[in-house]
Amino acid sequence: MTTTETGADAPASPDTTDATDATDATETVTGHDRGVHGYHEQKHEHLKRLRRIEGQIRGLQRMVDEDVYCIDILTQVSASTKALQSFALQLLEEHLRHCVADAAVKGGDEIDAKVKEATQAIARMMRT
């Protein structure tokens, strides 16, 4: 959740030109502040997807146990790898839309930290 929410009974600030009002943590409360991460709304779908990937990995174990032809196993390894990469990309997109956007609303050093964190995650994904 990236929208700004304030308490229903919080008084309106008479001076809206004060820069500290916009970044005051008591005034700007987001879903991220409440421990809700970007993937939260898709959690059920993500768990379903991860269980499917887990099934692919178990299938690989079975294939090795049953002495299936090497190339057939490698084909399934490739499919499993692509499935994990696709999952990671979706999670990264949700992180950018939620966590990084939340930091952008708050401004300051937090946005720099979130952008750096996302950049490092992208670098790790590219190495694989």
Side-chain angles (χ1 to χ4, degrees):
M1 186 180 303
T2 59
T3 59
T4 302
E5 300 173 351
T6 58
D9 33 8
S13 175
D15 181 13
T16 57
T17 59
D18 185 13
T20 58
D21 286 346
T23 58
D24 185 8
T26 60
E27 299 262 345
T28 304
V29 179
T30 63
H32 197 263
D33 294 325
R34 292 187 300 269
V36 177
H37 299 290
Y39 60 85
H40 178 75
E41 298 214 4
Q42 304 296 325
K43 188 174 182 176
H44 177 73
E45 289 80 12
H46 287 323
L47 289 171
K48 185 176 171 182
R49 193 172 188 182
L50 287 169
R51 283 190 285 275
R52 194 175 315 125
I53 294 169
E54 180 182 20
Q56 287 179 295
I57 303 304
R58 286 192 178 141
L60 283 167
Q61 292 171 333
R62 182 187 44 77
M63 291 173 81
V64 170
D65 187 51
E66 295 174 0
D67 294 318
V68 173
Y69 184 58
C70 304
I71 299 301
D72 294 338
I73 296 171
L74 289 170
T75 300
Q76 291 305 312
V77 167
S78 179
S80 299
T81 301
K82 289 288 187 189
L84 274 173
Q85 288 172 339
S86 176
F87 173 75
L89 190 58
Q90 178 67 39
L91 203 58
L92 177 63
E93 179 180 350
E94 290 167 359
H95 175 69
L96 292 171
R97 289 185 187 276
H98 183 269
C99 302
V100 175
D102 179 72
V105 167
K106 293 177 181 175
D109 292 337
E110 192 168 346
I111 184 64
D112 293 333
K114 289 295 180 184
V115 168
K116 182 177 180 181
E117 182 181 67
T119 302
Q120 290 171 341
I122 293 167
R124 283 191 302 271
M125 288 174 59
M126 291 179 67
R127 284 192 290 257
T128 58

